[in-house]
C-alpha cells in the first residue's frame, strides 16, 4: 500500500511538471501567422509568438513548476491549499490559451502594430487579409488541463500521500528520527531530571557569586544611600567632604 501511495504521489507531481512544461514550451513557439494587405515598406506576414499573444502564460507555467516543488514537501493541510491554487492555475492557463484562439486579431494587435505601424482595432481589421492558427496553442490547453487534473488528484489523495523525507524535518529532531517535540517530552518525563533541593539553588548562586568576586548586596545599598546624602548636602550648599 505504501508503494502504491508513493506511486500516486510521483505520478501527480509528474503530471504537474508535464502540464506546466507544455504551457512554458508553447509560449516560446509561434501561434499565429497574420497575412496583411500589401503596404509599402511593411511586412506582408506577421508571426506572433505565444508569449506575445498570451503574456500571462509564461508566468502561470512557472508558477505551476514552483507549485510542484512546494507540493512535494508540504504537509497534508498545506497540500490542500496548494492544490486549490493548482486548480486555479490550470484553469487560468486554459482560459489564456482559448481566449487567444477565439480572437487572434485582438491578441496579435501589438505585434501587427509593431510590424506595420498601423494602430486601432478597426484599422487593423481592415489591414489583415487572413489569419493562420498554428499547432502550439493546443499544447498549452492540454497542459492546463493536466495541471487541473493533477491538482484535483492531490486533493483526493491528500491522506494517502507519504509524508516528506527526513531531510526536510527540523535539524533538532532526534537521531532515531523522532521529532523534537517527542524528544523533549521524553526528557521532561525522565526520572534523572530531578528538581534541586529548596536551598540548593540559593547556595549555588551564593557560591558562584563568591567565586566571581561579587560583593554582597548590603554594601551596594549603603553606597547608594551615601551618594544620596552627599547630593542633598550639595543641594543645601554644604561641602560633604568636610
Amino acid at each position: 500500500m505504501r508503494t502504491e501511495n508513493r506511486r500516486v504521489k510521483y505520478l501527480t507531481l509528474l503530471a504537474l511538471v508535464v502540464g506546466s512544461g507544455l504551457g512554458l514550451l508553447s509560449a516560446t513557439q509561434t501561434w499565429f501567422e497574420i497575412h496583411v494587405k500589401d503596404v509599402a515598406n511593411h511586412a506582408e506576414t506577421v508571426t506572433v509568438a505565444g508569449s506575445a499573444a498570451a503574456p500571462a502564460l509564461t508566468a502561470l507555467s512557472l508558477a505551476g513548476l514552483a507549485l510542484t516543488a512546494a507540493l512535494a514537501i508540504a504537509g497534508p493541510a498545506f497540500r490542500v491549499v496548494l492544490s486549490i491554487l493548482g486548480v486555479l492555475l490550470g484553469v487560468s492557463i486554459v482560459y489564456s490559451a482559448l481566449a487567444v484562439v477565439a480572437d487572434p486579431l485582438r491578441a496579435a494587435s501589438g505585434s501587427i502594430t509593431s510590424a506595420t505601424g498601423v494602430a486601432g482595432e478597426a484599422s487593423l481589421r481592415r489591414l489583415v487579409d487572413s489569419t493562420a492558427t498554428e499547432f502550439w496553442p493546443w499544447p498549452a490547453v492540454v497542459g492546463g488541463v493536466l495541471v487541473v487534473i493533477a491538482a484535483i488528484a492531490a486533493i483526493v489523495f491528500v491522506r494517502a500521500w507519504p509524508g516528506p523525507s527526513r531531510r526536510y524535518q527540523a535539524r533538532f529532531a532526534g537521531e532515531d528520527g523522532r521529532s523534537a517535540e517527542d524528544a523533549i517530552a521524553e526528557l521532561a518525563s525522565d526520572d534523572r531530571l530531578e528538581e534541586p533541593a529548596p536551598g540548593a539553588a540559593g547556595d549555588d548562586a551564593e557560591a558562584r557569586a563568591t567565586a566571581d568576586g561579587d560583593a554582597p548586596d548590603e554594601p551596594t545599598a549603603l553606597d547608594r544611600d551615601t551618594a544620596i546624602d552627599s547630593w542633598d548636602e550639595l543641594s543645601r550648599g554644604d561641602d560633604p567632604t568636610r
Side-chain angles (χ1 to χ4, degrees), residues 93-130:
I93 291 174
V94 173
Y95 175 78
S96 297
L98 291 181
V100 169
V101 173
D103 193 355
L105 183 58
R106 183 185 298 273
S109 59
S111 299
I112 299 173
T113 299
S114 298
T116 63
V118 179
E121 184 175 354
S123 300
L124 290 176
R125 292 191 182 277
R126 288 195 300 268
L127 181 64
V128 171
D129 188 25
S130 63

Side-chain angles (χ1 to χ4, degrees), residues 13-60:
L13 296 177
L14 179 62
L16 283 171
V17 171
V18 172
S20 302
L22 282 175
L24 193 60
L25 175 63
S26 64
T28 63
Q29 304 301 315
T30 299
W31 281 27
F32 305 109
E33 286 189 358
I34 310 296
H35 301 279
V36 299
K37 297 177 182 177
D38 190 9
V39 179
N41 299 326
H42 292 150
E44 296 184 0
T45 301
V46 179
T47 58
V48 183
S51 57
L57 183 60
T58 301
L60 291 172

Side-chain angles (χ1 to χ4, degrees), residues 25 40 42 63 89 102 109 112 137 140 153 155 163 179 185 208 214 216 219 221 236:
L25 175 63
H42 292 150
L89 280 176
S109 59
I112 299 173
I155 297 175
S179 64
R208 286 196 300 269
D214 294 340
R236 290 193 299 268

Side-chain angles (χ1 to χ4, degrees), residues 51-209:
S51 57
L57 183 60
T58 301
L60 291 172
S61 300
L62 290 175
L65 293 176
L67 179 72
T68 304
L71 274 174
I73 61 174
F78 194 47
R79 194 181 306 150
V80 173
V81 177
L82 291 175
S83 300
I84 294 174
L85 291 177
V87 173
L88 296 177
L89 280 176
V91 171
S92 299
I93 291 174
V94 173
Y95 175 78
S96 297
L98 291 181
V100 169
V101 173
D103 193 355
L105 183 58
R106 183 185 298 273
S109 59
S111 299
I112 299 173
T113 299
S114 298
T116 63
V118 179
E121 184 175 354
S123 300
L124 290 176
R125 292 191 182 277
R126 288 195 300 268
L127 181 64
V128 171
D129 188 25
S130 63
T131 301
T133 302
E134 301 294 330
F135 164 75
W136 287 103
W138 305 113
V141 175
V142 174
V145 172
L146 275 177
V147 171
V148 172
I149 294 175
I152 293 175
I155 297 175
V156 173
F157 298 103
V158 63
R159 296 295 180 185
W161 278 25
S165 173
R166 286 184 182 178
R167 68 171 65 95
Y168 302 113
Q169 293 179 358
R171 62 188 180 92
F172 299 105
E175 295 181 355
D176 55 355
R178 294 174 302 163
S179 64
E181 292 79 3
D182 294 340
I184 293 174
E186 182 175 349
L187 287 174
S189 62
D190 196 340
D191 294 335
R192 291 174 297 178
L193 297 180
E194 298 179 355
E195 295 183 358
D203 295 342
D204 292 343
E206 183 178 354
R208 286 196 300 269

